Amino acid sequence: MRLVIELKRDALPKVVLNKLYKHTSMQTTFGVNTVALVDGVPRTLPLRDVIHHYVDHQREVVIRRRSSGSTRPSARRTSSRAC
């Protein structure tokens, strides 16, 4: 979302922005505990590492699904058709 606010010539942009932050919910902060299991050990990770480990996990899931063969998806299809 984009919001454009046009100011008068004598207005100070930094002051207006600070007042918007103070009196509206334009800026919110919240705490996050990014604990993840890395090699079976719980660790607190920075956001970059969390994303890295998540992407690696998703790759493993896709590889496992591909290597498991086509028996599981076809079994699901046949069981749903029987209903």
Side-chain angles (χ1 to χ4, degrees):
M1 177 188 300
R2 182 175 176 187
L3 176 66
V4 177
I5 299 175
E6 295 181 8
L7 303 176
K8 294 181 181 179
R9 290 180 193 224
D10 59 341
L12 300 172
K14 289 281 187 184
V15 173
V16 173
L17 185 61
N18 287 336
K19 286 186 179 185
L20 284 171
Y21 284 147
K22 181 178 179 182
H23 298 291
T24 65
S25 61
M26 280 183 57
Q27 183 180 28
T28 57
T29 58
F30 55 91
V32 175
N33 290 325
T34 54
V35 178
L37 288 176
V38 179
D39 299 325
V41 179
R43 291 182 41 200
T44 302
L45 302 172
L47 182 60
R48 183 179 198 155
D49 291 344
V50 169
I51 293 170
H52 174 75
H53 287 290
Y54 176 76
V55 170
D56 287 346
H57 169 72
Q58 290 299 315
R59 285 182 184 151
E60 289 177 20
V61 168
V62 169
I63 290 170
R64 265 191 245 135
R65 285 183 183 168
R66 283 186 172 183
S67 66
S68 68
S70 61
T71 57
R72 286 177 48 190
S74 64
R76 287 183 190 160
R77 279 189 231 124
T78 57
S79 65
S80 64
R81 289 180 187 165
C83 293

